[in-house]
Amino acid sequence: NTRLFRSLLSVRGFMKKSFWKSKDLDMELWARSCLIYADQLIVDGKNKAAVKKYRQMYKSSLPVHLRAAALRGLIQCEPQQL
């Protein structure tokens, strides 16, 4: 499953606004999968990689509840920034 998440995250253009308008992919499911992947990066001690993914999601045009989850992840990774 980790390979699948890495593949999804490595494809260019996933964070562009036009991507989220696509009817071919369930954005909610995909975004939640990205959050799970980033959470696992933290568990694996890869905070830099997790921060990058959370920032991408937070700065995107995702719905507010998903951006809030990305912000939670950023705070978890970088509590010293508060």
Side-chain angles (χ1 to χ4, degrees):
N1 290 349
T2 301
R3 280 190 214 157
L4 173 63
F5 294 137
R6 285 185 183 154
S7 296
L8 286 172
L9 292 171
S10 67
V11 176
R12 292 180 134 195
F14 265 46
M15 302 314 286
K16 293 183 180 177
K17 286 185 179 183
S18 60
F19 171 80
W20 298 116
K21 295 178 184 174
S22 172
K23 306 248 181 206
D24 298 332
L25 184 62
D26 182 355
M27 181 245 333
E28 179 88 16
L29 178 60
W30 184 85
R32 287 177 184 255
S33 298
C34 290
L35 288 167
I36 291 168
Y37 175 68
D39 290 344
Q40 186 60 46
L41 287 171
I42 294 172
V43 171
D44 293 343
K46 299 177 180 177
N47 280 16
K48 277 189 173 183
V51 166
K52 182 177 177 182
K53 300 306 175 197
Y54 287 131
R55 278 195 182 131
Q56 287 175 334
M57 296 185 75
Y58 182 69
K59 292 180 180 182
S60 73
S61 61
L62 287 169
V64 69
H65 68 283
L66 294 169
R67 292 179 63 233
L71 178 60
R72 177 213 41 92
L74 279 171
I75 292 169
Q76 185 177 355
C77 286
E78 299 182 319
Q80 69 279 9
Q81 299 291 333
L82 297 177

